[in-house]
Amino acid sequence: MSDTHAQTVSFVRDTMLPEAEPPVGNRGAILWMRENLFSGWLNILMTLVSLYVIWWALSHTMPWVFNGIWNAGSLSECREIRNATIGADASAACWAVLGDRWQQLMFGFYPRELYWRPILALVIFFVAIAPVLFSRVPRGMLAFTALSPFAMFWLLWGGSLWFPVSIALGFVLGWAAWRALAPIAGTLIAMIVAVALPLIYWFYTAGPLARELEQVIALSIEYVPSQDFGGFMLSFIIGIAGIILSLPLGILLALGRQSDLFIINKISVGFIEIIRGVPLIVWLFTASLLLNYFLPPGTNFDLMLRVIIMVTLFAAAYIAEVVRGGLASLPKGQYEAADALGLDYWKSMRLIILPQALKIAIPGIVNTFIGLFKDTTLVVFIGLLDPIGLSNAIRASAEWNGIYWELFVFIGLLFFICCFSMSRYSLYLEKKLQRGHH
Amino acid sequence: MTDTATNPADRAIDRSHMRVSDEVAIEISNMNKWYGSFHVLRDIDLTVYRGERIVICGPSGSGKSTLIRCINRLEEHQSGRIVVDGTELSSDLKNIDKIRSEVGMCFQHFNLFPHLTILENCTLAPIWVRKTPKKEAEEIAMHFLKKVKIPEQANKYPGQLSGGQQQRVAIARSLCMKPRIMLFDEPTSALDPEMIKEVLDTMIELAEEGMTMLCVTHEMGFARQVANRVIFMDQGQIVEQNEPEAFFKAPKSDRTKLFLSQILGH
Amino acid sequence: MTTTSDAPKAGFRPSQLIYDTRYRSLTIQVIAFIALMLGLSWLVSNTIANLSALGKDFDFGFLGQRAGYDINQRLIEYDSASSHGRAALVGILNTLLIAVLGCALATIVGVLAGVLRLSKNWLIANLMAVYVEGFRNIPVLLWILLIFALMTEATPQPRDFREGGDAAMIFGDSIAITNRGVFVPAPFWGSGAGLLLAVLLASLVAIFFWRRYAHRTQEQTGRILPIGWGTLGLFVVPTAVVFLALSMTSGRVTQPVLATGATEGMTLADYAGSQQAINACAVPFSTESLNLRRLMRSQEIRFTYVPVEDAAGALAALEAGTCNILSLPASVDLATVPAGAVALSDTIRRGMPVEFERPVLGGFNFEGGLQLRNSLIALWLALSLYTGAFIAENVRGGILSVSKGQTEAAFALGIKPSRTMRLVILPQALRVIIPPMISQYLNLTKNSSLAIAVGYMDARSTLGGITINQTGKELEGMLLLGLFYLVTSLVISSAMNLYNSRVKLKER
């Protein structure tokens, strides 16, 4: 700018302007509507189409929902009430079926006076995962977490307390072997022994030991056979057991897939790809049709246990991929720093790598759990009574023959509430991780 | 950037007590390394005596980082020998563990463990590798944290510290293992200028105490002040090594001259 | 330099197996391998013992045996006399059919929902959010059952479409949604269809060369040719012109309808009224037979179809009395027609290259047209909507992953918004969108095994269902079924890997 212009351009403000409101069309609800609903012809068209869709959907469902009849003993009674009150051509849901059969949808044929047991097991589960999900919970709670699976098992199935105790003893045995041998014989040998010893114990000693102990001190609660399990309880048991049991295997598979050792790597990759390449329903049929072929002649165990085994293997492959993602996202420097400090492979994994990788993987694990929880509905095809299986059973009864939508809506809503809240939680965790990472 | 600008403290350092003994700390002879078919280190011969402070410099990709990473086996060399403290670095796992627990290392990006507090970072290796009781390990850790002047941060997490503080924690973490040799892999190159000084001060202090140090760095002020030997590497080879005075005043090789002119003068 | 020799090699100690990095990894692998082999041999020996205890053997001979069951949904020739192997093939093709249909619809729905969810329109964005969350958080099996129940319970029966019934066909009486399935017009390829197809293919080739030419012109001269409009024009114009030309020429040729026991000049309707039954001789899939069928359908005449070899065979059959009505190409000399057969007053105007046969309400059900069974539709819609919800999230995430700075940078360079999308945003977003999208395709393909819920005959229902039940070959059947799914998955995931390696950002 040349000097001559300096005078004309020079300007000093002596009064400050007050803050002004935007023009009427640019504020409040009108502004919001204009920006969000009617900002252009395409936008207006979309708004109108959406409004029509919403009106159409609501006008078809809402009368049905709100005309619903809650007090009736059967579908025909429902229809009679409807005809008497609002007319034969009105649509009305028959919610009475839920009042009549909700216990079955939730618990299957579990003895009614023992409902407190699964409920208590669920409470134990929530307490047990608290230290895993929230870092503020004292670490001592982890011991409770370690014991909770056995407690939940005992509460659900009942029977002798000594059975879960003798199973738990196997883990103690393995841990003791590891502690005793690792300093003397090296990690490799110690690990082999720590795996083999409990296996041998479970195969040969655990059962008789539990029976002996039961004869000495009887500690039993009423036994509930697996056939009586059903409804959402069954979905929860299969889903939760699948995820918890699959975690150790999934972590090992993820480490195997990251490993430089050719055979270990190929075994892990092969396992993961084979499991993931075949639909769960095929695996479930394998469990119900074929698992007995693969086990020693004469073994015959519970279908539900077989399903849990299959679901565990299935979930392990998915968990492995999630954990692998967590491992891969750690900077190489973490591995190098652990090496440079002289930590061996297992120590660096346990102390440095896995705590970080698992924390990153938790949202993915929650998502895997959501998927698995939804997939538990597939067990209906091999004869277990999950909520959908029970809806078929209810429909087959004389009172409720022909009832579809009410049951579907109820089941769908419960699944939605569970899955949606879990997915929100995993989203929250993801955001927190993104913020918390430096 | 001039050498005086990065000179950590314009104080004269009394180097008389920083004596170099005749005892060999590291002996590398005829060492070669390849990445696939790329020859990163070629016929490296290097003897480091106890108490020596060696600065290794050179253009990027010259193999200087790889060289010091070979010393604690973060990288595997393919031929030749590396003997550290009388222990030959071979494929024997016991020797590797022994050497790693005696050689400390600091990285360019600190590599602190973000899920552990500063104190836990420092006590981790003593507890799990040296099998030190926890209480004792914490005392040692606090001692070294005081030494690097951040004892008050002991219960914070690495993410809450500045880069310079993190690097000092990384030094303290290595010192907690009571190493006889320290390796530094570009410890200041990821830091803001005002934080470089605090890290260099810590390193100078370490040098004054007689620690054997191998340091890959471009801080020529530090080299001039502390090092008793400067090594210039290019294309995977040691091109020139000399005392700092002679190295900076009268470089012999053309490559060194070119490198020094690029890094020091404008 | 003190010594040039490496570490002393002599004196191998057993402890080296564990403590020497060179041998340690080998030791671990050998142990793992032995453990794996032990485990496998344990499983195999158990299986052998169990099979022999049951008196079963392990062979795939059952694939050649007669299946003996019917499959209502099939893409290839199959009847109950066919082998189990062929039944499995029918099932596999059905699985692939639902997978392809599902992936296509899921992509359309997903991309649309994903983009609309990012729309500035508050209402539609939230509507899409409801769709996405609703489908993602409820098991797909429930959706399949729900849609199947909707299709079977909430749709009218075919008889409701009769006069006085309360159901009506939609889209100009061409589509009927009933509880027995959806009836849609079936395409028939008349004469000239081959030519039409050839033109369509040629225009695709032309499009390819046009685009290449346009790119080259731009590279050499900087001139930007209208690629989009050119492509559209090349795609539409030649085919449309040929279609119109063929329709106009072929529409002039008429084709007589011959019938026995008729009087000269009788109309088809009168003739049908005078006869007890109409048996139509026709060469399967010939244009003439299709035209005749169309004519009779349009007048709602019920008839029986008598397939014959060729025109001479048709005339012979007419003479022999196996059929009483037929239609011949206009070129056939009417003098060769057997005695007693006369031409009716109705003639058939030769049809256009492609025509659609509408479904017509018959005695109990709709006839003609294409019947899409409820099982197929329910499975198809449910899988597509379910997978579409996941794809929508991928699409949304992909578009959001391209930072706003990219758009701003492109605008700052003066690139038009439409070109910014095509040249800057899409290439980056697709990198993020496509890999998870392919794994969604994989999921959809695997989820198609839920066909069991609606009785759609896919690979699991044939090979892994009825065949296993009839032959007792659980092991072999499940093995083949698993292998089929595994191969399909590997093919899809290797396509994904190929894509990933091609688009990987070149970074240091």
Side-chain angles (χ1 to χ4, degrees):
Chain A
M1 194 184 294
S2 68
D3 287 21
T4 48
H5 279 113
Q7 272 180 327
T8 53
V9 169
S10 157
F11 166 76
V12 178
R13 179 174 291 288
D14 37 18
T15 52
M16 301 306 283
L17 294 178
E19 195 177 323
E21 293 240 310
V24 178
N26 277 343
R27 65 184 150 174
I30 298 174
L31 170 69
W32 185 88
M33 297 250 284
R34 228 177 54 182
E35 275 187 351
N36 293 302
L37 299 176
F38 304 107
S39 65
W41 63 268
L42 187 67
N43 214 335
I44 292 171
L45 189 73
M46 285 202 290
T47 304
L48 293 178
V49 169
S50 311
L51 283 174
Y52 175 74
V53 169
I54 293 169
W55 174 80
W56 184 85
L58 292 185
S59 67
H60 276 76
T61 52
M62 285 304 116
W64 179 76
V65 171
F66 289 109
N67 288 342
I69 290 150
W70 288 91
N71 291 315
S74 69
L75 188 58
S76 48
E77 200 186 325
C78 257
R79 295 216 168 113
E80 277 164 25
I81 295 175
R82 180 194 67 186
N83 294 350
T85 53
I86 44 178
D89 51 351
S91 74
C94 185
W95 299 119
V97 68
L98 303 180
D100 193 33
R101 299 296 181 101
W102 71 269
Q103 298 99 332
Q104 276 184 17
L105 286 170
M106 301 307 288
F107 295 100
F109 296 102
Y110 205 86
R112 215 166 264 215
E113 67 280 6
L114 298 180
Y115 281 169
W116 62 272
R117 276 164 44 179
I119 293 171
L120 183 61
L122 193 67
V123 171
I124 290 181
F125 170 73
F126 280 121
V127 176
I129 57 165
V132 182
L133 298 181
F134 307 102
S135 43
R136 260 173 286 163
V137 178
R139 298 285 96 184
M141 284 284 291
L142 283 170
F144 179 82
T145 306
L147 284 178
S148 62
F150 303 101
M152 289 192 282
F153 172 83
W154 187 55
L155 277 174
L156 287 170
W157 274 272
S160 165
L161 175 66
W162 294 112
F163 183 63
V165 167
S166 75
I167 295 288
L169 219 56
F171 289 101
V172 177
L173 212 61
W175 180 77
W178 166 263
R179 288 307 293 261
L181 280 176
I184 315 167
T187 51
L188 192 61
I189 292 173
M191 188 148 63
I192 293 171
V193 175
V195 170
L197 202 62
L199 283 179
I200 295 169
Y201 163 80
W202 285 323
F203 265 110
Y204 297 106
T205 329
L209 181 71
R211 275 191 289 279
E212 287 298 318
L213 284 170
E214 177 65 23
Q215 277 177 0
V216 179
I217 314 161
L219 279 175
S220 279
I221 52 176
E222 190 183 332
Y223 170 71
V224 182
S226 296
Q227 289 93 292
D228 291 351
F229 286 48
F232 274 93
M233 186 181 85
L234 185 84
S235 295
F236 270 108
I237 292 174
I238 295 176
I240 292 174
I243 281 290
I244 293 178
L245 298 176
S246 68
L247 263 177
L249 185 60
I251 291 170
L252 282 181
L253 283 170
L255 292 177
R257 194 163 188 174
Q258 293 284 81
S259 163
D260 299 328
L261 306 177
F262 180 81
I263 291 178
I264 305 269
N265 180 286
K266 288 294 168 264
I267 292 174
S268 308
V269 171
F271 183 89
I272 292 171
E273 292 300 329
I274 288 176
I275 292 276
R276 283 162 50 97
V278 176
L280 176 61
I281 194 165
V282 173
W283 290 122
L284 288 177
F285 275 105
T286 307
S288 77
L289 293 173
L290 295 183
L291 213 55
N292 277 351
Y293 280 107
F294 300 138
L295 296 172
T299 27
N300 190 7
F301 57 92
D302 202 48
L303 180 59
M304 189 162 157
L305 197 56
R306 279 187 273 170
V307 166
I308 289 179
I309 292 174
M310 228 36 188
V311 164
T312 302
L313 295 178
F314 186 79
Y318 285 81
I319 294 279
E321 287 299 276
V322 172
V323 175
R324 183 171 76 117
L327 289 173
S329 68
L330 283 189
K332 221 174 122 209
Q334 293 292 313
Y335 294 83
E336 286 178 353
D339 276 354
L341 286 174
L343 295 170
D344 66 28
Y345 178 80
W346 289 108
K347 276 183 197 147
S348 69
M349 284 300 146
R350 187 159 61 88
L351 299 169
I352 309 297
I353 305 302
L354 282 178
Q356 298 185 59
L358 287 180
K359 194 176 162 197
I360 298 171
I362 284 182
I365 293 173
V366 174
N367 285 337
T368 310
F369 177 68
I370 296 173
L372 192 68
F373 183 58
K374 285 188 292 176
D375 278 351
T376 54
T377 51
L378 305 195
V379 298
V380 61
F381 297 122
I382 53 170
L384 291 183
L385 287 174
D386 78 316
I388 289 177
L390 275 164
S391 81
N392 293 338
I394 293 171
R395 198 173 307 125
S397 70
E399 299 93 20
W400 301 110
N401 191 4
I403 197 151
Y404 280 94
W405 314 108
E406 293 82 354
L407 294 173
F408 282 154
V409 167
F410 177 72
I411 296 168
L413 206 63
L414 260 180
F415 268 109
F416 181 82
I417 291 169
C418 293
C419 297
F420 185 70
S421 48
M422 282 190 285
S423 74
R424 288 287 119 167
Y425 173 70
S426 98
L427 212 65
Y428 153 80
L429 274 185
E430 253 169 70
K431 290 216 172 111
K432 202 173 107 182
L433 271 180
Q434 273 168 7
R435 268 185 282 115
H437 240 63
H438 301 277
Chain B
M1 191 196 302
T2 67
D3 52 347
T4 48
T6 53
N7 196 337
D10 273 336
R11 62 193 161 114
I13 287 194
D14 176 15
R15 293 165 72 152
S16 60
H17 67 280
M18 293 159 69
R19 209 159 278 139
V20 175
S21 76
D22 293 339
E23 192 191 332
V24 174
I26 303 170
E27 181 165 17
I28 301 174
S29 53
N30 207 16
M31 191 259 279
N32 280 283
K33 175 169 178 58
W34 289 264
Y35 283 136
S37 60
F38 176 54
H39 201 167
V40 260
L41 291 177
R42 309 179 190 179
D43 277 342
I44 303 288
D45 286 303
L46 177 66
T47 307
V48 181
Y49 294 95
R50 183 145 322 283
E52 270 202 295
R53 289 88 49 199
I54 296 180
V55 163
I56 305 172
C57 59
S60 75
S62 59
K64 49 195 193 310
S65 283
T66 313
L67 171 62
I68 68 164
R69 286 156 66 88
C70 279
I71 295 173
N72 69 350
R73 196 62 172 199
L74 285 181
E75 307 276 352
E76 202 175 324
H77 60 285
Q78 274 110 9
S79 76
R81 302 183 64 183
I82 301 176
V83 180
V84 182
D85 262 345
T87 309
E88 161 134 25
L89 205 50
S90 66
S91 48
D92 191 325
L93 219 57
K94 280 180 174 161
N95 287 355
I96 295 173
D97 286 346
K98 184 159 175 252
I99 288 169
R100 281 184 178 164
S101 59
E102 276 171 24
V103 177
M105 183 163 193
C106 290
F107 299 87
Q108 183 180 0
H109 296 290
F110 336 128
N111 296 352
L112 293 180
F113 305 129
H115 63 303
L116 303 177
T117 62
I118 302 305
L119 189 66
E120 285 168 340
N121 261 284
C122 293
T123 56
L124 182 93
I127 288 174
W128 291 96
V129 180
R130 286 245 191 269
K131 313 237 160 40
T132 319
K134 191 175 175 205
K135 200 151 184 317
E136 199 183 322
E138 281 177 355
E139 278 162 19
I140 299 169
M142 284 314 289
H143 168 74
F144 284 110
L145 284 175
K146 269 182 205 134
K147 203 175 148 119
V148 299
K149 301 187 182 69
I150 34 177
E152 69 282 1
Q153 314 279 19
N155 289 316
K156 287 193 179 166
Y157 284 89
Q160 298 167 298
L161 268 55
S162 73
Q165 287 174 322
Q166 288 195 43
Q167 192 61 291
R168 283 185 284 151
V169 172
I171 295 173
R173 179 175 75 177
S174 304
L175 292 177
C176 286
M177 288 292 280
K178 306 265 176 69
R180 306 185 70 183
I181 300 164
M182 282 289 289
L183 307 174
F184 293 88
D185 188 0
E186 307 206 20
T188 55
S189 56
L191 295 177
D192 292 337
E194 74 269 22
M195 293 174 182
I196 292 177
K197 183 178 172 301
E198 57 186 59
V199 171
L200 289 183
D201 280 344
T202 308
M203 288 167 66
I204 290 168
E205 213 170 293
L206 212 55
E208 285 175 334
E209 285 167 12
M211 175 67 79
T212 312
M213 293 166 64
L214 262 82
C215 189
V216 173
T217 186
H218 292 145
E219 299 296 333
M220 289 308 143
F222 173 76
R224 204 170 275 193
Q225 195 182 352
V226 177
N228 67 318
R229 198 169 8 148
V230 179
I231 293 176
F232 174 67
M233 286 184 70
D234 193 15
Q235 295 180 0
Q237 309 159 55
I238 294 178
V239 174
E240 185 166 349
Q241 52 175 313
N242 212 334
E243 294 190 345
E245 205 68 9
F247 180 84
F248 290 112
K249 284 246 170 71
K252 290 185 194 102
S253 139
D254 291 340
R255 287 179 183 285
T256 318
K257 283 177 197 159
L258 181 68
F259 176 73
L260 285 177
S261 73
Q262 280 168 347
I263 194 169
L264 297 176
H266 290 282
Chain C
M1 192 187 321
T2 49
T3 168
T4 54
S5 77
D6 210 332
K9 286 251 163 63
F12 173 80
R13 298 176 312 279
S15 70
Q16 279 189 329
L17 282 180
I18 294 177
Y19 293 116
D20 192 307
T21 49
R22 283 169 298 176
Y23 305 114
R24 184 184 169 90
S25 65
L26 209 64
T27 314
I28 295 172
Q29 299 197 54
V30 167
I31 292 173
F33 189 70
I34 291 172
L36 178 74
M37 284 298 131
L38 279 177
L40 282 181
S41 62
W42 183 70
L43 290 179
V44 169
S45 76
N46 283 339
T47 309
I48 291 172
N50 282 317
L51 280 176
S52 70
L54 288 169
K56 289 183 178 177
D57 52 354
F58 185 80
D59 82 310
F60 292 96
F62 70 98
L63 288 176
Q65 292 166 11
R66 185 176 180 278
Y69 59 91
D70 275 316
I71 300 177
N72 54 22
Q73 161 79 39
R74 51 183 182 261
L75 292 174
I76 53 169
E77 208 77 16
Y78 173 87
D79 57 49
S80 59
S82 305
S83 65
H84 282 295
R86 194 154 181 95
L89 186 64
V90 173
I92 284 172
L93 287 175
N94 281 344
T95 294
L96 296 179
L97 173 74
I98 197 79
V100 171
L101 287 177
C103 289
L105 186 60
T107 312
I108 296 170
V109 171
V111 170
L112 213 62
V115 172
L116 287 181
R117 214 184 154 180
L118 288 173
S119 154
K120 275 194 195 131
N121 189 309
W122 181 88
L123 210 53
I124 206 154
N126 279 288
L127 206 59
M128 289 302 133
V130 168
Y131 155 66
V132 167
E133 294 302 343
F135 271 85
R136 269 158 50 102
N137 290 308
I138 293 177
V140 61
L141 177 60
L142 203 59
W143 282 118
I144 295 176
L145 290 173
L146 202 73
I147 295 180
F148 188 64
L150 257 175
M151 300 291 303
T152 50
E153 301 292 317
T155 51
Q157 295 181 341
R159 63 180 152 88
D160 294 335
F161 286 83
R162 289 191 195 291
E163 297 286 322
D166 51 3
M169 294 172 77
I170 50 174
F171 292 119
D173 279 358
S174 58
I175 296 177
I177 301 172
T178 76
N179 66 349
R180 296 200 194 172
V182 175
F183 293 85
V184 296
F188 280 103
W189 309 102
S191 63
L195 184 62
L196 202 65
L197 192 69
V199 170
L200 191 68
L201 288 178
S203 59
L204 288 180
V205 174
I207 286 170
F208 172 75
F209 281 107
W210 158 250
R211 296 181 77 100
R212 219 170 64 164
Y213 168 75
H215 281 295
R216 204 171 288 161
T217 312
Q218 189 186 0
E219 270 172 24
Q220 284 167 358
T221 66
R223 204 156 56 89
I224 300 176
L225 295 171
I227 296 178
W229 288 113
T231 303
L232 194 66
L234 277 174
F235 186 73
V236 174
V237 173
T239 315
V241 166
V242 170
F243 181 80
L244 285 176
L246 280 174
S247 313
M248 284 166 73
T249 50
S250 65
R252 294 208 191 91
V253 182
T254 55
Q255 175 186 323
V257 179
L258 302 179
T260 52
T263 52
E264 195 85 32
M266 219 174 181
T267 63
L268 182 61
D270 291 341
Y271 177 70
S274 70
Q275 298 290 313
Q276 285 197 329
I278 304 272
N279 295 316
C281 272
V283 181
F285 300 109
S286 70
T287 316
E288 289 73 32
S289 69
L290 294 177
N291 285 333
L292 177 62
R293 201 172 134 181
R294 200 158 45 87
L295 179 70
M296 291 198 286
R297 279 263 157 74
S298 69
Q299 301 195 7
E300 297 192 17
I301 295 168
R302 300 179 54 77
F303 62 95
T304 319
Y305 197 73
V306 182
V308 288
E309 283 288 317
D310 51 19
L315 289 173
L318 194 68
E319 194 157 19
T322 26
C323 59
N324 50 13
I325 195 164
L326 58 73
S327 180
L328 289 174
S331 57
V332 173
D333 186 3
L334 286 178
T336 61
V337 171
V342 291
L344 297 175
S345 66
D346 294 65
T347 52
I348 300 170
R349 271 160 58 91
R350 291 292 302 274
M352 288 181 276
V354 184
E355 284 201 46
F356 290 91
E357 183 197 67
R358 286 181 183 174
V360 179
L361 191 58
F364 301 101
N365 201 350
F366 279 87
E367 286 173 0
L370 202 61
Q371 181 188 9
L372 303 176
R373 286 172 190 280
N374 280 335
S375 52
L376 175 78
I377 297 221
L379 190 63
W380 181 36
L381 284 183
L383 287 178
S384 308
L385 290 174
Y386 182 76
T387 314
F390 287 86
I391 291 180
E393 280 302 272
N394 296 338
V395 169
R396 188 173 78 108
I399 294 175
L400 286 177
S401 75
V402 182
S403 70
K404 219 177 155 210
Q406 294 287 315
T407 318
E408 285 168 357
F411 285 173
L413 288 169
I415 303 173
K416 281 195 292 188
S418 62
R419 289 222 173 97
T420 301
M421 195 65 188
R422 189 163 58 83
L423 298 173
V424 180
I425 309 298
L426 270 187
Q428 295 184 56
L430 284 182
R431 257 181 245 279
V432 181
I433 292 170
I434 290 196
M437 189 131 104
I438 296 179
S439 52
Q440 287 308 330
Y441 291 164
L442 195 57
N443 285 345
L444 189 145
T445 310
K446 286 191 285 176
N447 279 337
S448 72
S449 56
L450 293 179
I452 184 177
V454 290
Y456 177 77
M457 297 298 272
D458 73 332
R460 203 225 56 86
S461 303
T462 56
L463 175 63
I466 303 177
T467 294
I468 282 183
N469 288 341
Q470 288 191 355
T471 58
K473 295 284 186 187
E474 297 96 353
L475 200 56
E476 295 89 335
M478 295 304 283
L479 206 63
L480 286 176
L481 185 65
L483 217 58
F484 159 66
Y485 279 113
L486 197 59
V487 168
T488 313
S489 304
L490 290 181
V491 167
I492 295 175
S493 57
S494 55
M496 175 159 67
N497 292 339
L498 203 69
Y499 176 83
N500 276 343
S501 61
R502 275 188 58 186
V503 303
K504 202 179 257 172
L505 266 186
K506 302 288 179 288
E507 276 181 292
R508 275 194 70 187

